Amino acid sequence: MSLTLVTKLNDTDYKLLHRAIDGFVPAMVFDVHTHLFHSRHFAEGKRPVFLDENRGYGMADFQEAMRLWLPGREVEGLFFGYPSAGNDRAGENAWLQSQVDGTGNSRALVLAAPQDDPAEVSRLLSTGVFVGIKPYRLYADVPDTKEVEIESFAPEWMWELCHEHDGILMLHIMLADGITDTRNVEAIRRMCRRYPRCKLVLAHVARSFNYRHAREGLHHLVDLDNVVVDTSAVTQAGAFRAALEILGPRRVLWGSDYMVSELRGSCITQGDGFTWIHPEITGDKLTIFGQYTTVGIESLLCLREACEDTGMTQGDLEDIFRENALRLLKRTPETHSGQQLWEEAKTKISCGTGLLSKRAHLFDPQSWPSYFSRAKGACVWDLDNKRYTDFTGGVGAILLGHADDEVNAAVKRRVNLGSYATLATPDEVKLADVLLDLHSWAGKVRYARGGGEALGLAVRIARAATGKSGIAFCGYHGWSDWYLAANLGDDAALDGHLLPGLQPLGVPRELAGTAVPFRYNDIASFRAALKKLDGKLAAVVMEPMRSEMPRDDFLQQVISECHAAGAVYVLDEVTSGWRFGFPGAAPGLGIEPDIAVYAKAISNGYPAGAIVGKDSVMDAANSSFISSSYWTDGVGTAASLACIDKMQREGVQQKVWQMGQHLQSGLRELAARHPSLELKIGGMPCAPSLAFGNPAAKPLMIRHMIQRGYLMSSQLYVTWSHMDEHLSGMLAALDEVLALMEQTPLEPITGVQQGFARLV
């Protein structure tokens, strides 16, 4: 038997079809990979046996097929001819142009071979019908076209033309290992960077008919903003899952591969390759249960399963099935969705969002994207899918890099098995063992889900253990009443520690005098705070350091006098933990606190906090009621276990510190190169800070860096996912921006600066 086109569905097809499309495929669809052609254009003896002789398969045939297996949907498409060795490409392109008239959104690709005339291809790209080029391996002049390298069938002139015309290049890559072959990867990366306006569509999920290729190879494409993949003819849910998870739903486009979609069969992964099975020609050699359906329906079933497994939303499905293609074709207007949503958010959410450090006015209200659609490694994508190299580090919560695979895997396991129940997760005990092993001086732990509340727990524990109420503190420690009480009666008390002029609205007046600040590296200031508390000291709460290292045994003196007063020494390692040392800054500074508090980087972006303390302190607080449901959820502990394990195994802190030294040195060189800006570089190496003589320079710097693809502010964070090229690229961009700023008149900012001024 030979292959035949399916023009009528049987009962099994219909059952599978409805399972595939009902509640899944939107009403409006764009098919980004589909063939229209006339069989007269095949070379002698090359016409596939399932196609009629001297017959055109045009727009009417395509729409009839779509009505059969996408009933009730309006389908437009990106069309191109049938690639075949020796065919009449000029005739095929001309016939295709007669079928796609350029009205609506449907467009076409020029079928082209290396030996074709670039000028003629360019002419076709100027017609308004053709928007790109479709090369194919059968046009390469090599003995075995299955093992052809990209530039043998898609030479540089095709990339250059697509770049000049802002066009699309549709590639079906070859070589046995597909997107995992270094030759393919190198060619794609080199050409996409050389021709950034060439929009590359890697057909068949970068030819991942073997789903393992997608799992192992798609990460090479993440930082190539001009590359997307289509789903055409892939019948492996694993390939789709990999594409959705690695590239995200904004870079996956649905395609049918009409006419292949009309054949019965499936492509299966086997070992390091794949095999196409068509029951008409291989059925007698296989043990088959049930029936094969069409490639089109099978592919949709697999895509649906992958979308369900990865939690795709209705908006994601609309992107995959239509909106991504329209954006590729520039059929949708440019948007600034983040800024628009932020303005809307301020009318519905108090203060716009819950974290002050994420509010747009602290960066640049004109350009700050405000919202992310996805984040991976050193990169963040905004709602318009613009990619930024991120140096804000999730306000310090990200140390490994966004969406670390190992941490995500641990969280997924916990979520799949249930993240919350009446019973506790055993990970609580495992994490306690890990934390106590890392803190030989400690005996007990408690958990929270954020830094501010973890510090609130620590203060409660210290007060319970000592029976006193007074807190002497240095630096920033969150939003809690115990901390803001410092501004009761003196709204300048927190100046230099938090926000100048902060009003402690909502903090009980009765707490006045219970919290007193002192300055870092100023022992006289510390002693003055103790004197002001007049024997009521319950705890000293401070960060180990932030913008300067301790001098003259400052920390040791503070600890000694704290203990002499019968108080608890609480070290806030929320920001410094795992970043300024491992597990925190304390070991490197030669100090042992009574309580250490961790959050942020302990779990790399998942809510978690830990209070690690000495038995004598922790046990004394057992009778104090300290309890909350979600302190016992399983996500934070699972993430923390995976995160700590990786940080310890990979030596993350040491690498991040070394990279930070390189970054901070580079920043200081830039500050010296642009003296008129009075730019001062501070902070620790892996968390450097920038302060301009004129505060008006900060939003301008942010705006210009965003335009150059960098997300940054005046507080930077280096992560384990940053590479040398990220740092050098950012420094080069900042050098350019600072030079521009020196030529820009700046209006001075007057009034209260609404931003953090953490001076520790």
Side-chain angles (χ1 to χ4, degrees), residues 95 141 166 174 240 247 330 340 347 362 486 504 527 546 567 696:
W95 188 85
D141 185 18
D166 289 318
M174 298 307 294
F240 294 143
L247 299 178
K330 294 189 175 181
Q340 295 165 7
T347 70
L362 293 182
R527 289 168 179 163
R546 185 180 287 266

Side-chain angles (χ1 to χ4, degrees), residues 431 448-451 453-454 598-600 602-603 605-610 635-637 639-640:
L431 181 57
R449 288 298 172 265
E453 66 177 8
Y598 296 95
K600 289 190 183 287
I602 193 174
S603 50
Y606 290 99
V635 169
T637 45
S640 297

